[in-house]
Amino acid sequence: MTITKWVYTFGEVAQLEAELDGSWEAVRSLLGGKGANLANMTRMGVPVPPGFAITTAACNAYLQANQQLPEGLWEQATAALETVETATGKRFGDPQKPLLVSSRSGAKFSMPGMMDTVLNIGLNDEVAQGMAQREDNAHFIYDCYRRLVQMFGSVVLGAPDEVFEDALHNYKLNHARATDADLTTEDWQQVTRMFQNLVKQYTQAPFPQDARAQLRQSIEAIFKSWHGRRARDYRRAAGIADDLGTAVNIVTMVFGNLDANSGTGVAFTRSPSSGEPRLFGDYLLRAQGEDVVAGIRNPKPIEQLETEMPDAYGELADVCKKLEGHYREMQDVEFTIEQGKLWMLQTRDGKRTARAAVRIAVDMANDALITREQALQRVTAEQVNTLLHPQFEPKAMEEARSQGRLYATGVNASPGAAVGQVYFDADTVERVVKESGLAVILARPFTKPDDVHGMLAAKGILTSAGGATSHAAVVARQFGVPCVAGAASIRINLEQRSMRAEDVVVNEGDWISIDGASGDVFLGRIATRAAVLDEQSELLILLEWADEVCAAAGMRAGPDGWPSRGLQVWANADYPADAQRARQFGATGIGLCRTEHMFFQENRLPVVQRMILAQQPDERQAALDELLPMQRKDFEGIFEAMQGCPVIVRLLDPPLHEFLPDEYEVWKQVISKRVTSLARYLLGQETPDDIAELERLLARVQELHENNPMLGLRAVRLSIMLPQIVEMQVRAIIEAAANVELTGTRVQPEIMIPLVGHLNELNTIQPRLKRIARTVMDEKRVELEYKFGTMIEIPRAAITGAEIAEAAEFFSFGTNDLTQMTYGFSRDDAERNFLLKYVEDGILPSNPFQTIDRDGVGQLMRMCVEGGRRTRPDLEVGICGEHGGDADSIDFCHLIGLDYVSCSPFRIPVARLAAAHATLRHRPDN
Ligand code: ADP
Ligand code: MG
Ligand code: MG
């Protein structure tokens, strides 16, 4: 029987990869992310301390066998240890030349809840004494030893970590030692002894003196931590399988705390905040392990290493370049310098802000490290959304500066401007936001995993300790929350619930403004403004690549075999200014221009009301004649802004009562007027004459009253009953189009008739409107390319798409109404009363008003597209509901062969990227 190989030294990775048919993915599954990368760096000739990995399969076997080490594991580990001893010339447990190691967990995906790393394994009383005698660095030995006892005691044996921290704190107080650096060799010896006593007290067993027992217990503890509560919870939340198991890495110790020529640090190969291609990170001399990120001492920026230790810095820069070349990704590395010599302890793909993600993807594609398509796939639609986050109004910020409101400056850890009331703990932040919906900023000395709920609820995060790689910074970047970290001049007093800097006290609930891009913290509120796309040159480039991908796909048949022009992104824009913005953001058409918004403009509403209240047709026509030039002017502006791109104008959609005052208000006025005139009459005075008009208004409002106006007389139905309004609109559209065309700018007007349910509705109104278009063109002596089409928002229209397409030259899905009518939900009522609970309890997988319900609404859409194109193969089909800006819905729109998605101007960049993602994802050769 062959015994499974459970243990691989880092040097054996090539052999393992070959055994696994060259699959690096399989190597990572077996050795975990950390172990696989350590082994890989070893193979690349990057300096990694010798070590070995115990496989994830061993972890699973151990857990399945009721916590028994699987057969052969311990022997293989011992043999691997011997290989390491040979390589280092040191021996494990030997007082003369001892090998010390760290034990590190590492699953395939890095995840919280796994066992923390234990450093300096292999030290015991005898080894410590031996080393201390032989070398002149006893101070260093006992610094290591006390760390081992503390880490092993808490992490492996389960004693509470605070008892060690408290004991050390009290020791320093009693011996008048201000910082750890003031502790002498004797101090560390005593602290070590004190820690050993604590271990015994809390675990009923002495600290193990046998090096091999230490090693074995660490390994088993890591295996067990796979089933720990936090690890399980995280896996469930992140959708990671429970049977992956974790690997264990045993790595020769290298010592950043050895002397003044030693140190430890973390670095990113590019800035995780801006994406700038230069090393970015922190380091500390005379430090070990997590000292850099723990916020105990303030670390130094990595640039300083270049002057402090130029050789080590140069080597680090080389290694980083090599790693990027290999992984073709920005890397996040851990390193230690021991007596001037560089050692790499970890590398992995680095987390980054949205801005950095875009810049890195574009830079790497330009440097041919990756393809443009890969660059597109490395940026998520949500990241692009974050980039459109608000920033401070530059003027307002200058003003705040000149008023002396700049309060403190920290590390610019995660960009974006945030304004909010400050609170000092995560629970309170979450509660305040939930209860009041206020904008809140969480301020803490530093953050821990327990604080994440508050960090996510906050508009911004501020810490007084820690740097660009601190927990707060990493989490904030990941979730796109603005963050200023390590604003060291701020002292936060958690008991008094206030903070102080330069003698200025800020109390809980006071307003502050933080700028995560500059690291500045201001007192009070500063006005913000929307992000400007033009200033984000890398994003503009990436979005152009996205458009190219979609356009190239358009050369081929669409996913369902339909002729496809490639998925385009259009905008919903009601005014010329919106249309301009839409063009700037890259829209290639307008999918929805809602004409009624033009009616609501202040100077027009009285005319609109006069039109509605008119009793005689000529009275109504007079009002419409007044509206005509106003609408025409709007349309001219929009056509000019769109420079020949298609513009879909929707004819009047809402019921008329929306343009009239509220019935109850009018009624109140009528009553009060009646009372006054009665009083005047009794007093023998004249009665005011405007009461008749008011009564007429009331009567008309009451006449227009409907029980269910959204399902009543509106849109195409209203046009059939009262064609004059849409006739005026069509005239305005075609006149405007003709005027603009005559100036030499091409126009493509598309006139959309809303809320059609039956072909005959179109057949009734459309010919009439076409005649008007013909008349106007004859009057103006131009021939325009224009279309009549309909909005698909009633299930019956979707089902009878083949028939509707006999009259309609284009379809546009109004998915908001289509969802309301398919589900029988009134959106406002649903979202207010039950929909959130539906989603929370999993009754619905997501809010169908945000993401298209593919199985229901989506099937209607698919059926409609198929039907429509059977009748009219070149039928243009798009979507103009809010869904047009949602990445998942865009994916579906592409799948059913739509020509464009139309969304609000601000979502256009998001939609352009999502359209490219959909195109790449469903490419026929995929
Ligand atoms: P995490 O996954 O939490 O980062 P690590 O295993 O990477 O845990 O280790 C924690 C810290 O200890 C890191 O700073 C790492 O660089 C350091 N460390 C781990 N192993 C060694 C070693 N053999 N020598 C020196 N430092 C080490
Ligand atoms: Mg690490
Ligand atoms: Mg509608």
Side-chain angles (χ1 to χ4, degrees):
M1 197 192 92
T2 56
I3 291 175
T4 317
K5 188 159 162 63
W6 306 110
V7 178
Y8 291 86
T9 61
F10 295 156
E12 286 175 307
V13 69
Q15 170 202 335
L16 173 61
E17 199 179 15
E19 276 167 27
L20 296 170
D21 300 325
S23 161
W24 181 245
E25 200 50 27
V27 176
R28 278 195 45 205
S29 300
L30 205 58
L31 301 190
K34 195 183 279 172
N37 281 344
L38 282 168
N40 194 42
M41 284 197 286
T42 307
R43 166 164 64 173
M44 289 166 66
V46 168
V48 174
F52 57 89
I54 305 174
T55 64
T56 53
C59 171
N60 287 332
Y62 173 84
L63 292 172
Q64 269 158 26
N66 252 327
Q67 311 194 341
Q68 293 289 316
L69 287 186
E71 200 189 334
L73 188 150
W74 185 245
E75 292 72 19
Q76 292 174 25
T78 314
L81 196 61
E82 273 168 28
T83 316
V84 174
E85 287 174 337
T86 313
T88 56
K90 297 177 177 172
R91 285 179 61 84
F92 197 56
D94 175 34
Q96 295 313 311
K97 237 184 158 216
L99 170 71
L100 303 187
V101 299
S102 62
S103 71
R104 316 164 71 185
S105 63
K108 177 168 186 189
F109 306 104
S110 95
M111 50 179 271
M114 301 302 304
M115 201 186 84
D116 286 340
T117 290
V118 179
L119 303 178
N120 309 325
I121 291 173
L123 268 178
N124 56 28
D125 293 351
E126 195 194 348
V127 172
Q129 271 161 24
M131 285 175 85
Q133 272 168 19
R134 218 171 14 80
E135 296 168 31
D136 58 356
N137 50 8
H139 181 269
F140 153 73
I141 299 298
Y142 282 98
D143 178 31
C144 290
Y145 195 14
R146 62 98 190 180
R147 288 176 195 259
L148 170 66
V149 179
Q150 174 173 354
M151 280 189 262
F152 194 92
S154 59
V155 170
V156 179
L157 301 176
D161 195 44
E162 301 86 68
V163 303
F164 299 102
E165 296 292 345
D166 292 348
L168 178 58
H169 181 75
N170 289 333
Y171 184 93
K172 285 196 283 194
L173 277 186
N174 294 337
H175 295 78
R177 308 281 190 257
T179 69
D180 284 9
D182 302 326
L183 269 75
T184 63
T185 308
E186 287 68 39
D187 287 331
W188 283 134
Q189 254 171 321
Q190 283 203 41
V191 169
T192 306
R193 221 164 295 133
M194 196 169 75
F195 281 3
Q196 286 179 337
N197 288 335
L198 286 172
V199 167
K200 197 161 175 190
Q201 185 183 330
Y202 277 88
T203 67
Q204 317 302 331
F207 173 79
Q209 290 292 325
D210 176 11
R212 270 160 218 270
Q214 290 172 6
L215 183 65
R216 185 169 174 141
Q217 284 180 48
S218 308
I219 294 170
E220 293 195 38
I222 289 178
F223 286 163
K224 284 180 210 161
S225 73
W226 180 255
H227 274 344
R229 169 80 199 286
R230 252 181 76 209
R232 273 172 183 272
D233 285 353
Y234 179 82
R235 286 198 294 272
R236 194 146 313 132
I240 297 177
D242 268 331
D243 59 1
L244 294 179
T246 179
V248 176
N249 301 289
I250 304 298
V251 186
T252 303
M253 283 305 301
V254 287
F255 299 102
N257 55 339
L258 185 58
D259 56 21
N261 207 16
S262 306
T264 180
V266 293
F268 290 87
T269 53
R270 296 174 192 235
S271 159
S273 170
S274 70
E276 219 182 305
R278 62 175 170 84
L279 282 194
F280 183 94
D282 301 315
Y283 75 102
L284 270 175
L285 293 186
R286 288 189 175 280
Q288 188 174 52
E290 309 271 61
D291 291 359
V292 179
V293 288
I296 307 170
R297 283 153 64 190
N298 271 347
K300 304 180 193 177
I302 200 97
E303 300 85 62
Q304 216 165 311
L305 188 66
E306 192 170 7
T307 41
E308 221 164 29
M309 302 175 104
D311 289 350
Y313 179 87
E315 198 181 352
L316 177 66
D318 287 348
V319 165
C320 285
K321 190 147 195 242
K322 203 165 172 180
L323 290 175
E324 269 204 351
H326 178 84
Y327 289 103
R328 292 163 192 275
E329 249 298 13
M330 183 259 258
Q331 295 294 294
D332 163 0
V333 302
E334 291 173 4
F335 65 91
T336 282
I337 297 167
E338 183 183 304
Q339 296 190 309
K341 159 106 186 87
L342 175 78
W343 295 97
M344 300 307 291
L345 288 163
Q346 189 168 342
T347 190
R348 61 183 159 193
D349 295 350
K351 297 226 162 44
R352 66 205 72 180
T353 61
R355 204 169 110 213
V358 171
R359 165 117 197 230
I360 291 170
V362 170
D363 283 354
M364 285 193 162
N366 282 338
D367 291 346
L369 272 174
I370 57 175
T371 64
R372 287 183 177 184
E373 289 175 4
Q374 283 169 326
L376 286 166
Q377 278 157 326
R378 288 211 182 154
V379 178
T380 65
E382 263 330 292
Q383 282 175 319
V384 171
N385 187 29
T386 327
L387 287 178
L388 307 170
H389 269 180
Q391 301 162 347
F392 286 133
E393 193 77 72
K395 265 213 192 113
M397 188 154 66
E398 274 325 300
E399 194 178 294
R401 263 181 224 285
S402 64
Q403 290 166 343
R405 279 161 56 201
L406 178 61
Y407 185 58
T409 298
V411 175
N412 51 344
S414 174
V419 181
Q421 288 170 278
V422 68
Y423 286 88
F424 297 104
D425 68 278
D427 289 344
T428 312
V429 167
E430 193 187 43
R431 185 173 50 74
V432 171
V433 172
K434 242 191 202 145
E435 285 171 5
S436 66
L438 288 175
V440 168
I441 289 179
L442 171 67
R444 297 284 297 169
F446 54 89
T447 64
K448 297 196 302 291
D450 306 349
D451 298 323
V452 170
H453 60 291
M455 300 168 78
L456 294 184
K459 286 268 180 282
I461 300 163
L462 168 65
T463 66
S464 55
T469 47
S470 61
H471 178 261
V474 172
V475 172
R477 280 198 292 272
Q478 191 176 351
F479 294 99
V481 184
C483 173
V484 173
S489 65
I490 297 179
R491 293 271 161 281
I492 296 177
N493 188 325
L494 295 175
E495 255 131 58
Q496 287 174 8
R497 313 209 69 79
S498 67
M499 61 186 189
R500 170 191 290 268
E502 319 286 352
D503 278 341
V504 180
V505 175
V506 172
N507 291 307
E508 191 160 81
D510 289 351
W511 287 88
I512 60 168
S513 303
I514 65 169
D515 184 351
S518 68
D520 292 336
V521 181
F522 293 93
L523 295 169
R525 287 188 254 190
I526 297 181
T528 54
R529 63 161 182 159
V532 183
L533 198 61
D534 283 352
E535 291 164 6
Q536 310 193 27
S537 51
E538 283 87 10
L539 180 57
L540 288 175
I541 295 173
L542 192 77
L543 292 177
E544 262 167 41
W545 295 350
D547 296 345
E548 280 164 21
V549 161
C550 294
M555 311 292 169
R556 288 177 277 214
D560 278 351
W562 303 112
S564 161
R565 273 163 273 174
L567 190 59
Q568 298 189 15
V569 177
W570 294 9
N572 298 349
D574 302 334
Y575 309 103
D578 288 351
Q580 232 136 26
R581 182 173 303 124
R583 281 297 285 156
Q584 279 159 12
F585 280 9
T588 51
I590 287 183
L592 177 64
C593 169
R594 285 162 293 204
T595 46
E596 58 270 17
H597 286 187
M598 301 169 173
F599 281 7
F600 278 114
Q601 282 174 7
E602 259 171 65
N603 55 338
R604 302 183 187 178
L605 199 56
V607 190
V608 174
Q609 291 180 343
R610 202 154 11 98
M611 182 268 292
I612 295 171
L613 295 173
Q615 272 160 341
Q616 301 303 322
D618 48 340
E619 198 184 331
R620 169 161 301 130
Q621 195 55 50
L624 285 168
D625 288 346
E626 240 181 282
L627 285 172
L628 175 76
M630 301 182 191
Q631 285 240 288
R632 189 173 56 217
K633 194 154 154 281
D634 294 328
F635 295 138
E636 283 169 359
I638 290 175
F639 289 137
E640 271 157 20
M642 293 313 288
Q643 292 290 310
C645 295
V647 175
I648 297 186
V649 181
R650 179 176 73 182
L651 300 179
L652 191 68
D653 184 62
L656 289 182
H657 78 86
E658 284 200 8
F659 300 101
L660 296 180
D662 182 63
E663 179 177 344
Y664 179 65
E665 289 303 318
V666 183
W667 180 80
K668 272 199 316 203
Q669 280 180 31
V670 167
I671 297 288
S672 92
K673 283 256 161 80
R674 276 185 194 157
V675 170
T676 344
S677 41
L678 180 64
R680 280 166 176 259
Y681 172 79
L682 291 176
L683 293 170
Q685 294 171 346
E686 255 178 70
T687 55
D689 54 6
D690 62 345
I691 184 154
E693 200 174 318
L694 208 57
E695 300 227 3
R696 202 166 69 134
L697 176 64
L698 180 62
R700 185 74 174 129
V701 170
Q702 282 171 336
E703 201 179 288
L704 288 173
H705 174 90
E706 288 181 316
N707 283 329
N708 212 331
M710 285 303 122
L711 300 178
L713 183 65
R714 52 175 284 222
V716 69
R717 306 158 192 171
L718 179 63
S719 305
I720 289 172
M721 303 306 288
L722 209 85
Q724 277 166 301
I725 303 175
V726 287
E727 282 169 2
M728 179 279 285
Q729 290 194 306
V730 170
R731 179 166 268 279
I733 295 167
I734 300 295
E735 282 184 1
N739 291 349
V740 174
E741 180 97 12
L742 286 172
T743 66
T745 302
R746 252 199 90 207
V747 281
Q748 288 191 64
E750 304 191 9
I751 298 170
M752 179 155 74
I753 299 170
L755 215 70
V756 166
H758 196 290
L759 169 65
N760 288 346
E761 290 177 303
L762 273 185
N763 282 342
T764 307
I765 193 73
Q766 195 169 295
R768 231 182 137 129
L769 299 176
K770 274 195 155 167
R771 275 198 298 278
I772 294 178
R774 184 69 260 161
T775 312
V776 175
M777 288 190 296
D778 290 345
E779 282 167 15
K780 299 264 178 189
R781 294 171 200 280
V782 282
E783 277 306 312
L784 294 170
E785 228 182 88
Y786 72 96
K787 283 183 188 160
F788 270 96
T790 185
M791 206 155 159
I792 304 286
E793 46 195 333
I794 292 182
R796 192 183 185 286
I799 293 167
T800 60
E803 285 163 42
I804 304 260
E806 288 169 21
E809 295 165 293
F810 67 87
F811 286 172
S812 172
F813 288 106
T815 42
N816 194 45
D817 271 342
L818 189 58
T819 303
Q820 295 204 84
M821 295 200 227
T822 303
Y823 260 114
F825 289 166
S826 141
R827 178 173 185 176
D828 290 349
D829 296 330
E831 287 186 340
R832 197 172 57 225
N833 296 324
F834 58 85
L835 203 50
L836 293 184
K837 183 172 168 60
Y838 267 37
V839 175
E840 251 170 47
D841 292 0
I843 297 170
L844 291 183
S846 57
N847 179 345
F849 293 103
Q850 278 164 7
T851 298
I852 283 178
D853 154 43
R854 294 190 183 206
D855 299 337
V857 177
Q859 288 314 306
L860 282 173
M861 292 169 71
R862 184 191 289 275
M863 182 189 278
C864 181
V865 177
E866 283 171 7
R869 291 214 171 122
R870 232 181 292 128
T871 306
R872 198 186 279 271
D874 61 348
L875 183 77
E876 167 193 291
V877 192
I879 176 178
C880 64
E882 239 175 270
H883 294 100
D886 168 70
D888 187 70
S889 309
I890 291 172
D891 185 82
F892 181 73
C893 289
H894 175 66
L895 268 182
I896 60 170
L898 297 203
D899 297 306
Y900 67 87
V901 295
S902 186
C903 57
S904 95
F906 286 107
R907 290 294 294 185
I908 289 171
V910 176
R912 285 166 73 192
L913 183 64
H917 284 167
T919 305
L920 292 172
R921 192 175 302 131
H922 303 297
R923 232 180 2 199
D925 49 295
N926 250 2

